[in-house]
Amino acid sequence: MAVLETFYDVMRRQGITRRSFVKYCSLTAAALGLGPEFVPQIAHAMETKPRTPVLWLHGLECTCCSESFIRAAHPLVKDVILSMISLDYDDTLMASAGHQAEAILDEVMEKYHGNYILAVEGNPPLNEDGMYCIIGGKPFVEQLKRVASGAKAIISWGSCASYGCVQAARPNPTQATPVHKVILDKPIIKVPGCPPIAEVMTGVITYMQTFDRLPELDRQGRPKMFYSQRIHDKCYRRPHFDAGQYVEAFDDEGARKGYCLYKVGCKGPTTYNACSTVRWNDGVSFPIQSGHGCIGCSEDGFWDKGSWYARLQDVSGFGIEASADKVGLVAAGAVGAGLAAHAAISALSRVRYKGDDAQ
Amino acid sequence: MSAPDSAILTDGDLKGTNLDGLKARPLRARRLTTVYVYEAPVRLWHWMTAASIVVLAVTGYLIGSPPPSLSGEASSHFQMGWIRYLHFAAAWIFAVGFGGRVAWAFMGNVYARELFFIPFWKLEYWKELLDEVLVYAFVKKHAKTVVGHNALARTALFFCFTLTGLFMIVTGFALYSDGTGIDSWEGRVFGWVMPWLGGNLSTHFLHHWGMWVIILFVMIHVYTVSREDIMSRQSLISAMTNGYRTFRDDRPD
């Protein structure tokens, strides 16, 4: 391969007009929260930069990230992203299989050493030397470490790769471990969510492609442009929260009127993601809009934080499951009773001692 | 009374008073020793903090378990808005007060420092602690007189108020940064807290537990202070209102 194709070449080859291409650039700029002055910059990058090879590995996962990704809302985005990133290895999407597929992996790793992006969907289980996830006859953790060694950067797709998700939920028998705890020497971008929003995934890739650098990350390694605000902050039901109007049960008047889902356990106030702005399926809806609270799928350990239908975690270990408030009230009652008894004994002993003192 | 004679007024003590010239002994009046313990800033802080804790606990509980849903237009209510506003306003008073109180520990008298550490390595502390526990277990009748806090009070204050209060301030500001944004100063200064405590929801949870620790502490605090004021050898409630602690006897311990 003498000259690598640019995105623009690929797009034109696929019959996309120049006009559509420019539209795509403006849309992407808008999706990334950039001003119109960045549109030419994106177009320029697309026209001149060679496509970056992306190797997409799958560990312990359910493929919901891939399912989300291939549904990137705008048809143009879907077409373009899939061709533009030069997705050289993705065992669920690629035509080849078996030894052929593995051969491509080795070829890309060698040819573009230090220049390819590693996208990881799912995570490696470390227990029993990684035997709970075998890819091509070897533990996934070995493949991950091998491919990561030559990567420019790593994208952790979804909550599995970012935090561990359901396979890492207590008691985590396979010791499923998020990517950043296995690969310590590479820049890692976490794109959590179960799955992440399609436009967030394509947006992250486009940003890296366009500006040749990682997007600005927050303290936990998530791209700030999509994860710096909570669902709650931009939720269209927020006015009902501030007013004090809640759904008390899923079949009540409040539910029909679209009140706030806080009391039925919505995790919007504790979840950083872009669902309430970007939404899903071409902006059609998102969980809260369809009447169910957010389950907080893009937060660390969301499987282990208690019920999806209660705001307060239950407390186990008191014989029965009880909310913090129940335990607190019982404790307050016990302390109150104890103090009353103590006061009574104090009073009695004082009466007794009075006799001694009065001598 | 078993108090030594030195506490009984002498004829000389009456000189210059309206009782000048009377015999002191038949009056059976006693002289009490009084020490100025809690300076004005400490007292002001105490009552401000007490009031803010009441507001914080009530509004905090309501944030966790909101009152029944209101009907009508959303635009005509701001119930949760006000609950949260009061919570944040009271939290600022509590936090700024706490900061001021830390500053006063350096500027004030020796008793102003008792809240912030326990003399772990002093044998005397452990002896006094045991003494107080025995008094509260009705084994001993009286403990030593203390000018500042007794060892048991100091221990409870240090763990249940100072450390818990600090925890509430730190987790509180971390949670507050949810609203002010991760790039606000709260987000920058306290952004480490939530990942450290296992996430956003866990931080809410622990903040909620902190409330219950402080509620239990306040219950015990009010009881013991009232009890000590009546039964111990020194006054407590007046010490936190006018600053003067009165000793009911001058017996050596």
Side-chain angles (χ1 to χ4, degrees):
Chain A
M1 206 185 292
V3 181
L4 274 170
E5 282 186 302
T6 65
F7 305 111
Y8 185 64
D9 295 335
V10 172
M11 291 160 106
R12 291 309 299 263
R13 186 160 52 74
Q14 294 200 335
I16 289 161
T17 61
R18 169 91 194 155
R19 191 180 183 79
S20 294
F21 169 72
V22 174
K23 264 193 200 165
Y24 160 74
C25 292
S26 342
L27 264 173
T28 305
L32 294 175
L34 302 170
E37 66 272 22
F38 283 97
V39 175
Q41 214 172 317
I42 292 173
H44 182 73
M46 297 280 171
E47 285 166 352
T48 54
K49 283 188 187 162
R51 299 186 300 156
T52 306
V54 175
L55 302 178
W56 188 312
L57 301 185
H58 299 255
L60 279 188
E61 47 96 336
C62 71
T63 319
C64 75
C65 300
S66 294
E67 289 286 347
S68 174
F69 187 72
I70 60 177
R71 280 163 184 74
H74 203 276
L76 189 59
V77 178
K78 184 183 77 181
D79 284 347
V80 168
I81 296 290
L82 277 178
S83 8
M84 80 181 229
I85 56 171
S86 182
L87 192 56
D88 292 343
Y89 179 93
D90 184 338
D91 47 37
T92 52
L93 292 178
M94 66 203 301
S96 57
H99 293 299
Q100 277 183 321
E102 299 306 309
I104 297 166
L105 193 63
D106 291 330
E107 189 189 314
V108 172
M109 279 177 59
E110 197 180 319
K111 201 163 169 184
Y112 300 102
H113 189 85
N115 287 313
Y116 60 88
I117 291 171
L118 168 61
V120 187
E121 184 177 349
N123 57 32
L126 302 184
N127 229 357
E128 309 279 1
D129 298 323
M131 288 303 164
Y132 291 103
C133 185
I134 303 289
I135 309 281
K138 285 180 184 166
F140 172 62
V141 62
E142 286 178 18
Q143 185 191 38
L144 175 66
K145 282 181 178 165
R146 189 164 61 91
V147 181
S149 63
K152 183 164 69 173
I154 297 173
I155 303 175
S156 285
W157 284 143
S159 295
C160 297
S162 302
Y163 299 126
C165 206
V166 65
Q167 59 273 44
R170 278 193 290 271
N172 191 2
T174 64
Q175 208 193 323
T177 308
V179 171
H180 66 275
K181 288 185 181 163
V182 177
I183 308 298
L184 304 169
D185 55 350
K186 295 284 173 185
I188 294 177
I189 307 152
K190 291 181 194 159
V191 187
C194 192
I197 304 168
E199 285 72 23
V200 169
M201 300 173 81
T202 53
V204 168
I205 286 197
T206 312
Y207 184 98
M208 290 166 71
Q209 196 57 56
T210 307
F211 297 106
D212 236 346
R213 60 165 187 258
L214 304 186
E216 196 187 345
L217 304 179
D218 72 359
R219 199 184 288 264
Q220 293 186 47
R222 304 172 293 192
K224 269 186 176 174
M225 53 193 165
F226 297 114
Y227 292 92
S228 63
Q229 278 187 318
R230 297 171 297 169
I231 309 282
H232 191 57
D233 293 319
K234 292 274 173 71
C235 181
Y236 79 104
R237 297 194 186 201
R238 177 66 187 264
H240 293 298
F241 172 80
D242 289 332
Q245 299 179 312
Y246 316 96
V247 175
E248 307 268 358
F250 281 111
D251 56 354
D252 70 359
E253 182 72 13
R256 280 193 288 281
K257 285 184 171 166
Y259 285 174
C260 173
L261 294 157
Y262 185 77
K263 278 194 178 178
V264 286
C266 180
K267 301 296 185 295
T270 44
T271 304
Y272 284 77
N273 207 336
C275 301
S276 49
T277 46
V278 177
R279 308 195 183 190
W280 291 77
N281 303 320
D282 203 2
V284 170
S285 185
F286 71 113
I288 292 168
Q289 196 173 338
S290 37
H292 190 286
C294 166
I295 61 170
C297 76
S298 57
E299 287 292 315
D300 192 358
F302 78 102
W303 294 94
D304 291 328
K305 305 289 185 199
S307 169
W308 290 345
Y309 301 100
R311 286 288 310 166
L312 275 170
Q313 269 173 270
D314 274 354
V315 187
S316 46
F318 287 88
I320 44 153
E321 295 274 314
S323 75
D325 283 335
K326 273 188 203 144
V327 176
L329 276 171
V330 168
V335 167
L339 294 181
H342 198 273
I345 300 172
S346 301
L348 280 175
S349 64
R350 189 170 161 85
V351 170
R352 267 219 328 271
Y353 274 123
K354 260 213 173 124
D356 299 348
D357 282 353
Q359 57 185 286
Chain B
M1 298 291 281
S2 57
D5 284 350
S6 62
I8 303 291
L9 290 192
T10 60
D11 295 348
D13 288 328
L14 301 179
K15 280 226 167 68
T17 72
N18 59 337
L19 303 178
D20 199 351
L22 290 178
K23 284 276 175 221
R25 202 160 179 86
L27 297 176
R28 299 176 66 192
R30 290 172 59 215
R31 176 169 47 197
L32 295 180
T33 305
T34 292
V35 183
Y36 187 54
V37 183
Y38 300 123
E39 297 150 299
V42 172
R43 285 176 277 140
L44 180 69
W45 168 80
H46 174 271
W47 294 109
M48 258 173 46
T49 300
S52 68
I53 285 176
V54 171
V55 175
L56 282 166
V58 171
T59 55
Y61 182 84
L62 291 177
I63 291 170
S65 309
S69 187
L70 297 173
S71 55
E73 285 298 317
S75 55
S76 54
H77 304 291
F78 196 55
Q79 189 198 59
M80 181 52 96
W82 280 114
I83 292 173
R84 293 175 71 240
Y85 172 77
L86 285 174
H87 192 77
F88 298 146
W92 270 108
I93 291 172
F94 183 85
V96 170
F98 197 93
R101 186 62 183 74
V102 171
W104 191 255
F106 294 99
M107 296 151 73
N109 62 21
V110 65
Y111 313 110
R113 288 189 264 286
E114 288 179 343
L115 229 53
F116 298 99
F117 69 99
I118 48 174
F120 191 85
W121 300 111
K122 285 197 178 152
L123 188 63
E124 191 67 4
Y125 162 74
W126 294 103
K127 273 187 188 158
E128 283 176 25
L129 186 63
L130 180 68
D131 252 21
E132 281 296 336
V133 170
L134 290 179
V135 167
Y136 272 87
F138 304 109
V139 175
K140 282 187 72 169
K141 193 177 144 204
H142 281 307
K144 279 173 72 169
T145 52
V146 200
V147 181
H149 296 95
N150 73 48
L152 185 59
R154 189 169 176 175
T155 311
L157 273 169
F158 178 73
F159 287 105
C160 300
F161 177 77
T162 312
L163 290 189
T164 310
L166 192 64
F167 177 79
M168 295 304 269
I169 290 171
V170 169
T171 52
F173 273 113
L175 294 171
Y176 193 53
S177 75
D178 275 342
T180 57
I182 56 171
D183 287 322
S184 62
W185 74 261
E186 293 93 349
R188 285 173 201 280
V189 177
F190 296 100
W192 53 273
V193 176
M194 293 209 263
W196 177 58
L197 291 175
N200 201 313
L201 204 61
S202 303
T203 311
H204 276 86
F205 184 66
L206 292 168
H207 195 72
H208 200 88
W209 272 110
M211 173 190 81
W212 281 109
V213 170
I214 290 182
I215 286 176
L216 296 188
F217 166 75
V218 168
M219 288 173 67
I220 295 171
H221 177 71
V222 171
Y223 169 70
T224 51
V225 162
S226 311
R227 183 185 187 275
E228 290 281 313
D229 199 72
I230 298 166
M231 297 186 62
S232 80
R233 295 164 64 191
Q234 59 263 314
S235 69
L236 271 88
I237 296 173
S238 63
M240 201 39 93
T241 44
N242 59 26
Y244 293 96
R245 165 152 299 157
T246 305
F247 294 93
R248 303 221 166 79
D249 64 65
D250 288 334
R251 278 177 304 177
D253 290 306

